[in-house]
Amino acid sequence: MTPAGPASGGGGAGGFAGLDPTARGMAYMLASCVAFALVWTLIRIAGETVSAFMIMFARTAFGCLSLAPDLRARGLAMLRTRRLPIHLIRGVTSVVGTFGIFYAVTVTPLGLVVAISYAAPLFTTMGAVLLFGERIHARRVAALIVGFAGMVLVLRPDAVDFDLGVAAAIAGTLGIAGSMLTIKALAPTDRSDTIVAYAFLLPLPVTFAAALPGWMWPEPVDWVLLIAIGLLASVGQRLLAMAFAQADAGAILPIDFVRLVLATAFGAWLFDERVDWLTGAGALIILASTVYLARREAIAGHAGATGRSDARPERR
């Protein structure tokens, strides 16, 4: 009984460190959801005075700045790769995904955009089957069907006008899926920090060129918003990576539903947006199917190992 005394009387950090890896992963995932919900809310606010292209460029620039510690540690060796064409493809998918989601957030209810974005792993699974020849069995086919049924529920015509914002959200979701597929292709040969570095460096000139035609120097308050978006997004990505490093995807992905709850709450509070319960139910169905697919992938692809994928931290 004696060893239990110090543990029970330890400080907050000691108590957190004493948690099992799955609990720590869930905590990191929860913190990541809060960070990303705040990012999307700030994008919506900044979008009233700053173009989506400008926001995207600022986010990419801050992402490049976040590479400084790794560049200092490894130098240009961090950029060493033999698969530059795949990195270029990922750069394209990253631009499509980022702009699609960022634009959608500025014109479409936040909760609806989150719900649509949950479908990215479904498209990734389909792409892996079509492009990489991955085998898919009846249970995963059933999960895909259920997931896309949830997508139909989210996008039902009686509740959602298929406007440019919704189209951008779908395009952004497809871009995210494309990025996931390129990560899957790169993970066996390239280090994760190399994959992340190219994901920020290659889109930087593209986003800068896209922002130039409507370039306007932001007002001081807009600079505060852009800096906050960049910092929170970087923190959110790091928390997400820590979450996947601690626990299996199937254990922590259910926590991602908090992102929908927070985005919907912020949208209702700040922008008088409403997302009906059927949209929430559809999002929950999509998320449940992605959780199941993650569990099946862990079982099928990592039997006898830890069940984690080294590429997962970058898959969001």
Side-chain angles (χ1 to χ4, degrees), residues 4 16 24 35-36 56 75 86 93 103 106 116 130 154 160 162 165 169 220 237-238 255 267 280 293 306 316:
F16 183 78
R24 289 199 299 271
F36 281 115
M56 183 171 64
I86 305 297
T93 60
Y103 176 78
T106 64
I116 293 172
L130 296 174
V154 167
V160 176
F162 196 88
Q237 290 287 359
R238 186 170 295 273
I255 305 296
L293 287 169
T306 63
R316 175 98 156 243

PDB file of all heavy atoms in Angstrom, residues 4 16 24 35-36 56 75 86 93 103 106 116 130 154 160 162 165 169 220 237-238 255 267 280 293 306 316:
ATOM      1  N   ALA A   4       1.411   3.493  -3.176  1.00  0.00           N
ATOM      2  CA  ALA A   4       0.271   4.224  -3.720  1.00  0.00           C
ATOM      3  C   ALA A   4       0.178   5.631  -3.178  1.00  0.00           C
ATOM      4  O   ALA A   4      -0.452   6.490  -3.752  1.00  0.00           O
ATOM      5  CB  ALA A   4      -1.028   3.466  -3.421  1.00  0.00           C
ATOM      6  N   PHE A  16      -1.358  13.119 -14.592  1.00  0.00           N
ATOM      7  CA  PHE A  16      -1.563  12.895 -16.017  1.00  0.00           C
ATOM      8  C   PHE A  16      -0.568  11.881 -16.553  1.00  0.00           C
ATOM      9  O   PHE A  16      -0.911  10.987 -17.328  1.00  0.00           O
ATOM     10  CB  PHE A  16      -1.430  14.209 -16.779  1.00  0.00           C
ATOM     11  CG  PHE A  16      -1.695  14.080 -18.254  1.00  0.00           C
ATOM     12  CD1 PHE A  16      -2.994  14.005 -18.733  1.00  0.00           C
ATOM     13  CD2 PHE A  16      -0.651  14.026 -19.159  1.00  0.00           C
ATOM     14  CE1 PHE A  16      -3.246  13.874 -20.082  1.00  0.00           C
ATOM     15  CE2 PHE A  16      -0.891  13.894 -20.509  1.00  0.00           C
ATOM     16  CZ  PHE A  16      -2.190  13.825 -20.975  1.00  0.00           C
ATOM     17  N   ARG A  24      -4.296   8.941 -21.967  1.00  0.00           N
ATOM     18  CA  ARG A  24      -3.552  10.136 -22.397  1.00  0.00           C
ATOM     19  C   ARG A  24      -3.888  10.485 -23.841  1.00  0.00           C
ATOM     20  O   ARG A  24      -4.046  11.655 -24.198  1.00  0.00           O
ATOM     21  CB  ARG A  24      -2.048   9.909 -22.234  1.00  0.00           C
ATOM     22  CG  ARG A  24      -1.574   9.889 -20.797  1.00  0.00           C
ATOM     23  CD  ARG A  24      -0.074  10.123 -20.693  1.00  0.00           C
ATOM     24  NE  ARG A  24       0.691   9.097 -21.395  1.00  0.00           N
ATOM     25  CZ  ARG A  24       1.088   7.960 -20.845  1.00  0.00           C
ATOM     26  NH1 ARG A  24       0.791   7.698 -19.584  1.00  0.00           N
ATOM     27  NH2 ARG A  24       1.794   7.071 -21.533  1.00  0.00           N
ATOM     28  N   ALA A  35      -8.942  22.814 -29.961  1.00  0.00           N
ATOM     29  CA  ALA A  35      -8.101  23.707 -30.759  1.00  0.00           C
ATOM     30  C   ALA A  35      -8.659  23.888 -32.164  1.00  0.00           C
ATOM     31  O   ALA A  35      -8.764  25.017 -32.672  1.00  0.00           O
ATOM     32  CB  ALA A  35      -6.673  23.159 -30.821  1.00  0.00           C
ATOM     33  N   PHE A  36      -9.061  22.792 -32.819  1.00  0.00           N
ATOM     34  CA  PHE A  36      -9.555  22.895 -34.192  1.00  0.00           C
ATOM     35  C   PHE A  36     -10.921  23.566 -34.262  1.00  0.00           C
ATOM     36  O   PHE A  36     -11.219  24.281 -35.227  1.00  0.00           O
ATOM     37  CB  PHE A  36      -9.588  21.520 -34.849  1.00  0.00           C
ATOM     38  CG  PHE A  36      -8.252  21.049 -35.318  1.00  0.00           C
ATOM     39  CD1 PHE A  36      -7.643  19.937 -34.755  1.00  0.00           C
ATOM     40  CD2 PHE A  36      -7.569  21.723 -36.323  1.00  0.00           C
ATOM     41  CE1 PHE A  36      -6.402  19.508 -35.173  1.00  0.00           C
ATOM     42  CE2 PHE A  36      -6.324  21.308 -36.749  1.00  0.00           C
ATOM     43  CZ  PHE A  36      -5.735  20.199 -36.176  1.00  0.00           C
ATOM     44  N   MET A  56      -5.564  31.130 -45.882  1.00  0.00           N
ATOM     45  CA  MET A  56      -4.852  29.894 -46.205  1.00  0.00           C
ATOM     46  C   MET A  56      -3.344  30.143 -46.294  1.00  0.00           C
ATOM     47  O   MET A  56      -2.535  29.340 -45.804  1.00  0.00           O
ATOM     48  CB  MET A  56      -5.377  29.318 -47.518  1.00  0.00           C
ATOM     49  CG  MET A  56      -4.758  27.988 -47.914  1.00  0.00           C
ATOM     50  SD  MET A  56      -5.582  27.210 -49.320  1.00  0.00           S
ATOM     51  CE  MET A  56      -5.249  28.407 -50.620  1.00  0.00           C
ATOM     52  N   GLY A  75      18.712  19.960 -40.303  1.00  0.00           N
ATOM     53  CA  GLY A  75      19.183  20.677 -41.470  1.00  0.00           C
ATOM     54  C   GLY A  75      18.415  20.260 -42.724  1.00  0.00           C
ATOM     55  O   GLY A  75      17.293  19.742 -42.653  1.00  0.00           O
ATOM     56  N   ILE A  86       5.411  12.273 -55.578  1.00  0.00           N
ATOM     57  CA  ILE A  86       4.320  11.980 -54.653  1.00  0.00           C
ATOM     58  C   ILE A  86       4.102  13.156 -53.701  1.00  0.00           C
ATOM     59  O   ILE A  86       2.967  13.511 -53.376  1.00  0.00           O
ATOM     60  CB  ILE A  86       4.602  10.687 -53.856  1.00  0.00           C
ATOM     61  CG1 ILE A  86       4.881   9.530 -54.811  1.00  0.00           C
ATOM     62  CG2 ILE A  86       3.418  10.351 -52.953  1.00  0.00           C
ATOM     63  CD1 ILE A  86       3.726   9.187 -55.691  1.00  0.00           C
ATOM     64  N   THR A  93      -3.162  18.151 -53.320  1.00  0.00           N
ATOM     65  CA  THR A  93      -4.317  17.737 -52.518  1.00  0.00           C
ATOM     66  C   THR A  93      -4.443  18.570 -51.247  1.00  0.00           C
ATOM     67  O   THR A  93      -5.551  18.866 -50.789  1.00  0.00           O
ATOM     68  CB  THR A  93      -4.233  16.250 -52.162  1.00  0.00           C
ATOM     69  OG1 THR A  93      -3.037  16.005 -51.403  1.00  0.00           O
ATOM     70  CG2 THR A  93      -4.228  15.388 -53.414  1.00  0.00           C
ATOM     71  N   TYR A 103     -12.713  27.943 -47.176  1.00  0.00           N
ATOM     72  CA  TYR A 103     -13.775  28.721 -47.819  1.00  0.00           C
ATOM     73  C   TYR A 103     -15.137  28.297 -47.289  1.00  0.00           C
ATOM     74  O   TYR A 103     -15.993  29.146 -46.993  1.00  0.00           O
ATOM     75  CB  TYR A 103     -13.731  28.559 -49.336  1.00  0.00           C
ATOM     76  CG  TYR A 103     -14.869  29.277 -50.017  1.00  0.00           C
ATOM     77  CD1 TYR A 103     -14.827  30.658 -50.200  1.00  0.00           C
ATOM     78  CD2 TYR A 103     -16.011  28.593 -50.449  1.00  0.00           C
ATOM     79  CE1 TYR A 103     -15.877  31.333 -50.787  1.00  0.00           C
ATOM     80  CE2 TYR A 103     -17.067  29.269 -51.041  1.00  0.00           C
ATOM     81  CZ  TYR A 103     -16.998  30.635 -51.207  1.00  0.00           C
ATOM     82  OH  TYR A 103     -18.050  31.299 -51.792  1.00  0.00           O
ATOM     83  N   THR A 106     -16.144  29.835 -44.059  1.00  0.00           N
ATOM     84  CA  THR A 106     -16.513  31.251 -44.067  1.00  0.00           C
ATOM     85  C   THR A 106     -17.942  31.505 -44.533  1.00  0.00           C
ATOM     86  O   THR A 106     -18.482  32.586 -44.286  1.00  0.00           O
ATOM     87  CB  THR A 106     -15.544  32.062 -44.964  1.00  0.00           C
ATOM     88  OG1 THR A 106     -15.674  31.628 -46.321  1.00  0.00           O
ATOM     89  CG2 THR A 106     -14.112  31.903 -44.500  1.00  0.00           C
ATOM     90  N   ILE A 116     -19.577  17.115 -42.800  1.00  0.00           N
ATOM     91  CA  ILE A 116     -19.133  16.675 -44.126  1.00  0.00           C
ATOM     92  C   ILE A 116     -17.689  16.177 -44.068  1.00  0.00           C
ATOM     93  O   ILE A 116     -17.339  15.160 -44.677  1.00  0.00           O
ATOM     94  CB  ILE A 116     -19.272  17.818 -45.146  1.00  0.00           C
ATOM     95  CG1 ILE A 116     -20.757  18.153 -45.364  1.00  0.00           C
ATOM     96  CG2 ILE A 116     -18.617  17.462 -46.476  1.00  0.00           C
ATOM     97  CD1 ILE A 116     -21.002  19.403 -46.200  1.00  0.00           C
ATOM     98  N   LEU A 130      -8.993   1.303 -54.720  1.00  0.00           N
ATOM     99  CA  LEU A 130      -8.892   1.545 -56.153  1.00  0.00           C
ATOM    100  C   LEU A 130      -7.454   1.786 -56.610  1.00  0.00           C
ATOM    101  O   LEU A 130      -7.052   1.324 -57.687  1.00  0.00           O
ATOM    102  CB  LEU A 130      -9.757   2.755 -56.534  1.00  0.00           C
ATOM    103  CG  LEU A 130     -11.270   2.603 -56.321  1.00  0.00           C
ATOM    104  CD1 LEU A 130     -11.982   3.916 -56.597  1.00  0.00           C
ATOM    105  CD2 LEU A 130     -11.818   1.503 -57.235  1.00  0.00           C
ATOM    106  N   VAL A 154     -26.746  13.752 -43.948  1.00  0.00           N
ATOM    107  CA  VAL A 154     -26.217  15.095 -43.716  1.00  0.00           C
ATOM    108  C   VAL A 154     -26.579  16.035 -44.863  1.00  0.00           C
ATOM    109  O   VAL A 154     -26.941  17.196 -44.646  1.00  0.00           O
ATOM    110  CB  VAL A 154     -24.684  15.036 -43.535  1.00  0.00           C
ATOM    111  CG1 VAL A 154     -24.074  16.436 -43.602  1.00  0.00           C
ATOM    112  CG2 VAL A 154     -24.328  14.375 -42.211  1.00  0.00           C
ATOM    113  N   VAL A 160     -30.462  20.964 -46.772  1.00  0.00           N
ATOM    114  CA  VAL A 160     -29.209  21.592 -47.190  1.00  0.00           C
ATOM    115  C   VAL A 160     -29.329  22.087 -48.622  1.00  0.00           C
ATOM    116  O   VAL A 160     -29.693  21.322 -49.525  1.00  0.00           O
ATOM    117  CB  VAL A 160     -28.029  20.600 -47.080  1.00  0.00           C
ATOM    118  CG1 VAL A 160     -26.752  21.236 -47.601  1.00  0.00           C
ATOM    119  CG2 VAL A 160     -27.843  20.148 -45.635  1.00  0.00           C
ATOM    120  N   PHE A 162     -27.536  22.937 -51.875  1.00  0.00           N
ATOM    121  CA  PHE A 162     -26.240  22.561 -52.443  1.00  0.00           C
ATOM    122  C   PHE A 162     -25.642  23.785 -53.130  1.00  0.00           C
ATOM    123  O   PHE A 162     -25.696  23.953 -54.349  1.00  0.00           O
ATOM    124  CB  PHE A 162     -26.386  21.411 -53.431  1.00  0.00           C
ATOM    125  CG  PHE A 162     -25.081  20.737 -53.736  1.00  0.00           C
ATOM    126  CD1 PHE A 162     -24.630  19.698 -52.942  1.00  0.00           C
ATOM    127  CD2 PHE A 162     -24.293  21.159 -54.793  1.00  0.00           C
ATOM    128  CE1 PHE A 162     -23.407  19.075 -53.211  1.00  0.00           C
ATOM    129  CE2 PHE A 162     -23.076  20.550 -55.064  1.00  0.00           C
ATOM    130  CZ  PHE A 162     -22.632  19.506 -54.282  1.00  0.00           C
ATOM    131  N   GLY A 165     -20.652  26.858 -50.968  1.00  0.00           N
ATOM    132  CA  GLY A 165     -20.025  26.502 -49.703  1.00  0.00           C
ATOM    133  C   GLY A 165     -20.044  25.009 -49.451  1.00  0.00           C
ATOM    134  O   GLY A 165     -19.037  24.420 -49.025  1.00  0.00           O
ATOM    135  N   ALA A 169     -16.912  22.389 -49.281  1.00  0.00           N
ATOM    136  CA  ALA A 169     -16.684  21.461 -48.167  1.00  0.00           C
ATOM    137  C   ALA A 169     -16.456  20.046 -48.677  1.00  0.00           C
ATOM    138  O   ALA A 169     -15.579  19.322 -48.180  1.00  0.00           O
ATOM    139  CB  ALA A 169     -17.869  21.500 -47.200  1.00  0.00           C
ATOM    140  N   PRO A 220      -4.896  45.547 -37.772  1.00  0.00           N
ATOM    141  CA  PRO A 220      -4.293  44.938 -36.568  1.00  0.00           C
ATOM    142  C   PRO A 220      -5.126  43.815 -35.971  1.00  0.00           C
ATOM    143  O   PRO A 220      -4.577  42.768 -35.587  1.00  0.00           O
ATOM    144  CB  PRO A 220      -4.173  46.132 -35.603  1.00  0.00           C
ATOM    145  CG  PRO A 220      -3.996  47.306 -36.509  1.00  0.00           C
ATOM    146  CD  PRO A 220      -4.855  47.019 -37.703  1.00  0.00           C
ATOM    147  N   GLN A 237      -2.460  20.329 -34.483  1.00  0.00           N
ATOM    148  CA  GLN A 237      -1.794  19.251 -35.213  1.00  0.00           C
ATOM    149  C   GLN A 237      -0.837  18.483 -34.306  1.00  0.00           C
ATOM    150  O   GLN A 237      -0.752  17.253 -34.363  1.00  0.00           O
ATOM    151  CB  GLN A 237      -1.027  19.823 -36.407  1.00  0.00           C
ATOM    152  CG  GLN A 237      -1.902  20.346 -37.526  1.00  0.00           C
ATOM    153  CD  GLN A 237      -2.572  19.231 -38.321  1.00  0.00           C
ATOM    154  OE1 GLN A 237      -2.377  18.060 -38.051  1.00  0.00           O
ATOM    155  NE2 GLN A 237      -3.371  19.609 -39.303  1.00  0.00           N
ATOM    156  N   ARG A 238      -0.110  19.209 -33.450  1.00  0.00           N
ATOM    157  CA  ARG A 238       0.827  18.540 -32.538  1.00  0.00           C
ATOM    158  C   ARG A 238       0.070  17.677 -31.534  1.00  0.00           C
ATOM    159  O   ARG A 238       0.474  16.544 -31.233  1.00  0.00           O
ATOM    160  CB  ARG A 238       1.684  19.584 -31.818  1.00  0.00           C
ATOM    161  CG  ARG A 238       2.782  18.976 -30.960  1.00  0.00           C
ATOM    162  CD  ARG A 238       3.745  20.042 -30.480  1.00  0.00           C
ATOM    163  NE  ARG A 238       4.464  20.639 -31.588  1.00  0.00           N
ATOM    164  CZ  ARG A 238       5.590  20.147 -32.091  1.00  0.00           C
ATOM    165  NH1 ARG A 238       6.101  19.025 -31.607  1.00  0.00           N
ATOM    166  NH2 ARG A 238       6.200  20.755 -33.076  1.00  0.00           N
ATOM    167  N   ILE A 255     -13.737  10.446 -29.856  1.00  0.00           N
ATOM    168  CA  ILE A 255     -13.641  11.748 -29.195  1.00  0.00           C
ATOM    169  C   ILE A 255     -13.830  12.880 -30.197  1.00  0.00           C
ATOM    170  O   ILE A 255     -14.222  13.987 -29.849  1.00  0.00           O
ATOM    171  CB  ILE A 255     -12.282  11.892 -28.487  1.00  0.00           C
ATOM    172  CG1 ILE A 255     -12.059  10.741 -27.514  1.00  0.00           C
ATOM    173  CG2 ILE A 255     -12.161  13.211 -27.752  1.00  0.00           C
ATOM    174  CD1 ILE A 255     -13.037  10.701 -26.375  1.00  0.00           C
ATOM    175  N   GLY A 267     -21.105  28.098 -33.572  1.00  0.00           N
ATOM    176  CA  GLY A 267     -21.901  28.647 -34.673  1.00  0.00           C
ATOM    177  C   GLY A 267     -23.217  29.213 -34.187  1.00  0.00           C
ATOM    178  O   GLY A 267     -23.665  30.286 -34.634  1.00  0.00           O
ATOM    179  N   GLY A 280     -26.792  16.086 -37.186  1.00  0.00           N
ATOM    180  CA  GLY A 280     -25.944  15.543 -36.128  1.00  0.00           C
ATOM    181  C   GLY A 280     -25.938  14.029 -36.126  1.00  0.00           C
ATOM    182  O   GLY A 280     -24.890  13.395 -35.934  1.00  0.00           O
ATOM    183  N   LEU A 293     -13.888   1.301 -39.322  1.00  0.00           N
ATOM    184  CA  LEU A 293     -12.885   1.060 -40.353  1.00  0.00           C
ATOM    185  C   LEU A 293     -11.475   1.141 -39.771  1.00  0.00           C
ATOM    186  O   LEU A 293     -10.590   0.360 -40.149  1.00  0.00           O
ATOM    187  CB  LEU A 293     -13.038   2.088 -41.476  1.00  0.00           C
ATOM    188  CG  LEU A 293     -14.253   1.888 -42.402  1.00  0.00           C
ATOM    189  CD1 LEU A 293     -14.437   3.113 -43.294  1.00  0.00           C
ATOM    190  CD2 LEU A 293     -14.086   0.636 -43.238  1.00  0.00           C
ATOM    191  N   THR A 306       1.676  -3.247 -32.658  1.00  0.00           N
ATOM    192  CA  THR A 306       0.983  -2.363 -31.730  1.00  0.00           C
ATOM    193  C   THR A 306      -0.372  -1.961 -32.239  1.00  0.00           C
ATOM    194  O   THR A 306      -1.187  -1.433 -31.499  1.00  0.00           O
ATOM    195  CB  THR A 306       1.806  -1.077 -31.523  1.00  0.00           C
ATOM    196  OG1 THR A 306       1.908  -0.393 -32.771  1.00  0.00           O
ATOM    197  CG2 THR A 306       3.185  -1.402 -30.980  1.00  0.00           C
ATOM    198  N   ARG A 316      -5.062  13.889 -40.539  1.00  0.00           N
ATOM    199  CA  ARG A 316      -6.217  14.746 -40.359  1.00  0.00           C
ATOM    200  C   ARG A 316      -6.133  15.956 -41.246  1.00  0.00           C
ATOM    201  O   ARG A 316      -5.126  16.638 -41.217  1.00  0.00           O
ATOM    202  CB  ARG A 316      -6.258  15.186 -38.901  1.00  0.00           C
ATOM    203  CG  ARG A 316      -7.322  16.170 -38.611  1.00  0.00           C
ATOM    204  CD  ARG A 316      -8.546  15.540 -38.027  1.00  0.00           C
ATOM    205  NE  ARG A 316      -9.233  16.568 -37.273  1.00  0.00           N
ATOM    206  CZ  ARG A 316      -9.433  16.539 -35.979  1.00  0.00           C
ATOM    207  NH1 ARG A 316      -8.995  15.557 -35.274  1.00  0.00           N
ATOM    208  NH2 ARG A 316     -10.065  17.501 -35.381  1.00  0.00           N
TER     209      ARG A 316
END
